[in-house]
Amino acid sequence: MYLRFVERLGLADAVTVANAAVGFLAVVAATIDVEVAARLILLAAVADGLDGVVARHRGSTDAGPYLDSLADVASFGVAPAGLVAFLVLDARSFESDPAFVAVGVAAGALFVAMAVARLGMYTAYDSDDRETVGVPTTLAATVLAAAVIAGYTSPALLVAATAAFAVLMGSTITYPDLHAQDALVMGVVQAAVILTPAGHMVTSALPPWIGEGFAFALLFLACGYLLLGPRFYWGDGIRSPPENAADRRA
């Protein structure tokens, strides 16, 4: 059987499609082991950065931006929301605490809805800019995944964070794109968090705390960009928010 998209999609598109598959695996893994699910979300984030690198060096197709947003819905919308929902359902039952379970599931549903809306708006209006409006879905998913791996698994905390990220994704806060070197640092730390369990299986030389240590480092970097990026990260030819606002008024 001939698959018509084989000749029409490029290597970068293949990486993007794989990103979506990893997002699905993260949802399945959340029913078994939430840390594995969190690491799969981070693996999807690495793939999301990699497809951009491949596109710049090997070229992209017209389908690329649409595939990227669709994959991001799976990996950074549905997967983290599912992870939080499964943690809520594991800690509380609908019979014993129906209000909390309903709020937790509703927060996840809102997160997915806002991620879809934000990614659609990004594809339509912002994909060619060096800035984006609203908290990036990849950043929100990275913070939630890193928090779980670092041991912050309180359902109430994660539900509150999920609801907050849902609102922030729809906000008018403007984030500049990460510079290439900073994106590389973030990717290396994400990869370290992902690979630490394999390192522990291969050798006992790695200290037992190193996995959580990398997770805390990733959480620190991601939260730093989340909180400080809109105000202090502008540079390298990217205009500051006040200048952008003035230009828009003009």
Side-chain angles (χ1 to χ4, degrees):
M1 181 177 66
Y2 176 74
L3 299 177
R4 71 184 186 92
F5 55 77
V6 170
E7 294 180 354
R8 304 187 68 178
L9 300 182
L11 180 59
D13 299 325
V15 176
T16 301
V17 171
N19 169 12
V22 173
F24 168 75
L25 294 177
V27 175
V28 175
T31 65
I32 304 168
D33 189 321
V34 293
E35 286 199 12
V36 171
R39 284 186 167 85
L40 285 171
I41 291 171
L42 295 182
L43 178 60
V46 172
D48 185 55
L50 182 61
D51 66 6
V53 174
V54 174
R56 284 191 292 273
H57 288 83
R58 296 290 298 272
S60 59
T61 66
D62 292 339
Y66 302 98
L67 293 175
D68 191 60
S69 288
L70 289 169
D72 286 358
V73 167
S75 297
F76 312 126
V78 176
L83 172 62
V84 173
F86 281 119
L87 278 166
V88 169
L89 292 170
D90 185 59
R92 313 278 182 91
S93 68
F94 189 78
E95 290 77 13
S96 64
D97 197 347
F100 181 78
V101 171
V103 169
V105 173
L110 179 63
F111 185 94
V112 173
M114 296 302 289
V116 170
R118 187 203 175 282
L119 288 164
M121 296 286 285
Y122 175 82
T123 303
Y125 303 113
D126 300 335
S127 59
D128 293 329
D129 295 336
R130 298 185 63 190
E131 60 191 51
T132 184
V133 180
V135 168
T137 52
T138 309
L139 178 62
T142 295
V143 171
L144 291 172
V148 169
I149 298 170
Y152 296 108
T153 56
S154 166
L157 175 64
L158 291 173
V159 167
T162 301
F165 277 127
V167 173
L168 290 171
M169 281 191 287
S171 71
T172 57
I173 301 171
T174 302
Y175 280 82
D177 290 348
L178 278 175
H179 299 164
Q181 66 272 20
D182 296 332
L184 177 61
V185 170
M186 188 79 77
V188 168
V189 179
Q190 287 171 331
V193 176
I194 297 164
L195 296 174
T196 297
H200 280 136
M201 288 192 302
V202 171
T203 177
S204 60
L206 292 176
W209 52 263
I210 196 167
E212 284 190 3
F214 280 126
F216 275 110
L218 178 59
L219 195 57
F220 176 80
L221 291 173
C223 287
Y225 177 62
L226 172 70
L227 298 174
L228 303 178
R231 181 66 182 86
F232 297 105
Y233 192 75
W234 301 85
D236 191 25
I238 302 176
R239 294 172 300 174
S240 67
E243 290 173 342
N244 283 333
D247 290 344
R248 293 187 181 117
R249 285 195 298 271

